[in-house]
Amino acid sequence: MGRETAAAAYGFLSISGTLEQGLLGGLLVLNELGRPLEFHCTASVKANRAQQILYGPTLAPFLYGEQIGTTLAAKAKHPMRMYFVAQPETLAMRPTIDVPVALVLPRDAARREELSRHRFETVSLAGFTLGTHFADPDDSRRITEACEALLDFDLLEPFERIEEAVAEAQKTAA
């Protein structure tokens, strides 16, 4: 056990739902072998009408990044090397934490094209394209260094685990 707690930890964070019906966040913390160290999820988060009006087009990054992403990152007990996220709005958590955050871009060309309207820098790593928060130019280097142990790792697969675990948690809570 002592060895596993000292191992590098990587956070995979995904958010499901809609702004209108509510968002659910899930954080899966893995070691470099892809084994789970922790899992956390949120209750449904929904903006009230005043927030929708006041935040306007910045509502999604606020909810995804600052409300859900930062809250889940604060719950993590293992020191993170970095976070991988599934939604571009979640990159907004980067200014609130001390480690890099990378958007794992899907392999589907149509979905990638849809995401291109968001503002982020890109870096290629082991067959994946990652998006980084535009405000931290040093993140590309830091991400490459943090991911040295993950070169044979499927960076999209943990998001499937999160979706299933959040759905299971919802069933248990109902």
Side-chain angles (χ1 to χ4, degrees), residues 77-115:
K77 293 171 181 49
H78 290 79
M80 286 310 143
R81 299 266 338 252
M82 66 174 293
Y83 287 91
F84 294 98
V85 298
Q87 294 80 22
E89 296 87 356
T90 316
L91 288 171
M93 72 187 271
R94 177 59 180 107
T96 68
I97 62 173
D98 293 331
V99 297
V101 177
L103 169 67
V104 182
L105 292 166
R107 291 194 167 114
D108 177 327
R111 179 77 175 116
R112 286 175 77 142
E113 180 64 30
E114 178 187 324
L115 294 176

Side-chain angles (χ1 to χ4, degrees), residues 27-173:
L27 171 64
L28 177 60
V29 179
L30 302 176
N31 68 13
E32 66 276 356
L33 299 175
R35 294 186 182 135
L37 301 173
E38 307 176 42
F39 177 74
H40 305 279
C41 62
T42 65
S44 182
V45 175
K46 187 176 176 185
N48 61 39
R49 185 66 185 137
Q51 287 175 315
Q52 292 172 4
I53 293 166
L54 296 172
Y55 279 89
T58 67
L59 181 63
F62 170 72
L63 292 175
Y64 280 70
E66 296 177 49
Q67 289 289 302
I68 297 172
T70 302
T71 298
L72 287 171
K75 290 182 179 184
K77 293 171 181 49
H78 290 79
M80 286 310 143
R81 299 266 338 252
M82 66 174 293
Y83 287 91
F84 294 98
V85 298
Q87 294 80 22
E89 296 87 356
T90 316
L91 288 171
M93 72 187 271
R94 177 59 180 107
T96 68
I97 62 173
D98 293 331
V99 297
V101 177
L103 169 67
V104 182
L105 292 166
R107 291 194 167 114
D108 177 327
R111 179 77 175 116
R112 286 175 77 142
E113 180 64 30
E114 178 187 324
L115 294 176
S116 69
R117 65 182 169 83
H118 293 276
R119 197 170 150 207
F120 51 80
E121 302 292 323
T122 60
V123 62
S124 294
L125 180 73
F128 289 92
T129 303
L130 305 175
T132 64
H133 194 276
F134 62 89
D136 201 329
D138 196 37
D139 270 1
S140 294
R141 179 191 57 78
R142 292 180 67 197
I143 288 168
T144 302
E145 290 171 2
C147 293
E148 287 175 352
L150 301 177
L151 293 180
D152 293 326
F153 197 88
D154 180 353
L155 297 176
L156 291 169
E157 184 275 334
F159 297 119
E160 295 169 14
R161 289 194 243 173
I162 294 169
E163 286 178 31
E164 289 180 35
V166 167
E168 193 62 33
Q170 282 183 298
K171 280 190 229 173
T172 326

